[in-house]
Amino acid sequence: MAKTIHEQQCLEMQKETEGVKAGLQARLNELESLLNDSNNRVKELETSAKSKCQSWSMKVNNYQSFMDSQFHAMRDLRFTSDAIKQELLKTQKSYFEEFNLLEVKLKALADAAGNYREVLNENRKLFNEIQDLRGNIRVFCRVRPFLPGQNGKQTIVESIGDNGQLVVTNPAKPGKEGQKTFKFNKVFGPAATQGEVFADIQPFIQSVVDGYNVCIFAYGQTGSGKTYTMTGPNDATEEEWGVNFRALNNLFKISQNRRSTFQYEVGVQVVEIYNDQVRDLLSNRTGPAKKMGVTSISQPNGLAVPDASMHPVLSTTDVIDLINLGFKNRTVSATALNERSSRSHSIVTVHVRGKDLKAGNYIYGNLHLVDLAGSERVDRSEVTGDRLKEAQHINKSLSSLGDVIFALAQKSPHVPYRNSKLTQVLQSSLGGQAKTLMFVQLNPDVTSYSESLSTLKFAERVSGVELGAARSSKEGKDVKELMEQMASLKDTIAKKDEEIERLHLLKDLKNGYPGIDGEQPRTGSLSDKQSETGSTDDEKSEITDAALSMGTETDGSAEYVHSPEGVSLGKPKVVPKVRVLQKPAQATPTSKSESPRASSPAIKKTLSSSSNLVKPVVRKKV
Ligand SMILES: Nc1ncnc2c1ncn2[C@@H]1O[C@H](COP(=O)(O)OP(=O)(O)OP(=O)(O)O)[C@@H](O)[C@H]1O
């Protein structure tokens, strides 16, 4: 029993042992596989550590070589920097040496520049003196650019030289054969700015302040840029200002600079001449424009159009306002009269009176800025009525301007200022006492070639004219007083003259002489004959003045002859319209024109009307 129990126990123990043994064997197997895994992992780690180690050592090598190269570079840089430092020191030294040398040279150069400026000023002064002595009219030509929308147009301008040379080509004759060369004082191309143009005329403005009379006028066909040059475009910016605004701006600047020595007063008149009638563009009057008389000016401060309103101006803004007002008045008329602007002459006259604060002298200067009517010759067969009248007036006034200029050129004893209102108004600024500048405006379009050519020919003739030395109107107190006395005496004489003429006229009318009622005249009195020829009072006074003062009448409507009795009677003769030049003074030694008093037109007029020594015979115009 015990044995069985023992055997059972042994069997159980054996079973248990076998179970433990199997468990241990499983555990052993497990541990073996773990060991294997670990071994594998160790191997892997060893491999990766090896490769990492290799890469790190490679990197270390790279860094090492990089460090080495940087070190070398640094060493090189240090060498270079040392070399540069050395070089810099060397350069600095030589720079200082050269700087000192330059200072010495610069000083010498500054001295030379001072001398050069002096020489330049001297040259300019001499040039001006020569110009003043020659007094010739200066002519500037300005070619306007093609207007927007006129791209691709063909130009007649072949070349513009710096020396004032202009070559134009006849579009009908291409090549050298069709080229014509003109020479002016200066030619401004289409790209010239308003500022560049004014820079060349600034000395003229200086002259006005110095007591000279100056006339600047723009001549050219309609649309050639006269208004642009003289005034600028509508609503012009300061950059686009034309000669008018720039001139006055400059004038104010000069007077401001001189305020310690001179006190200046500036007044402006703006008039328009349309159909040979002068109209005040700054008048406050409403209604029909008043017809303005023009006086021949003999005193320095005399006004050519005394009835036109005079506006004192203190600044450029005043001037802009006035000129704009004038243009507005002109524009109002333009609408009514169908673009009248291009058919009337507009004249801005600037009167300058400067008082020398030390000496008490006065200086008077006038500046006429004239925008002439378009110069194109209208074919008379194509226009009628008002247009024909306008064209005739423009042609007459422009040809009168030409006549005056050429009479001055030929030093003719008589200059026909009185042939048109234009030349009468400009009288004080055309001639020996004045400086004159003409802008010839050119339209570059080939379609305007023939007009442009005649404009250029006229301008070329004008540019050759020498007017004689211009004179300043500086005067002492005594001279000024005498001039004023003389002016008032002349005024009195002129008034008396008018009275006498009026009385003559009245007497003639009373005697039943015609003119107004259209009857034929029976005797040869001046008033009769003018009534007959349809002359107005104005024309009468012009004829009498011009003929008696200078002994010349260029109008052809009246001729003055002398009989031994001093009176020429006889019927009006019908003769072709010719220019008649007769000098009463030469015709008879007893002529009143020999009297010293007769040098004044007004005095002569008095003599003629009171003594009847010289009487006109009127020829009918054909
Ligand atoms: N130098 C210029 N630069 C730019 N535009 C210009 C220039 N000259 C003229 N013009 C332009 O050409 C046109 C005609 O010019 P403008 O009216 O001055 O001619 P004009 O000769 O005065 O004509 P009119 O006889 O009809 O008064 C205008 O539109 C003007 O702005």
Side-chain angles (χ1 to χ4, degrees), residues 27 58 89 144 177 219 343 491 559 591:
R27 183 77 185 136
M58 259 170 74
L89 282 172
R144 85 145 161 72
E177 205 189 319
Y219 178 91
R343 280 174 250 139
D491 273 356
E559 181 186 350
S591 161

Side-chain angles (χ1 to χ4, degrees), residues 25 112-113 158 199 278 295 302 314 328 338 363 383 388 398 506 508 560 566 619:
Q25 189 59 45
E158 186 66 32
V278 184
T295 57
L314 296 171
K328 209 174 100 204
N338 188 17
I363 283 178
V383 290
L388 176 61
L398 291 179
L506 267 174
D508 290 345
Y560 294 81
R619 292 182 173 191

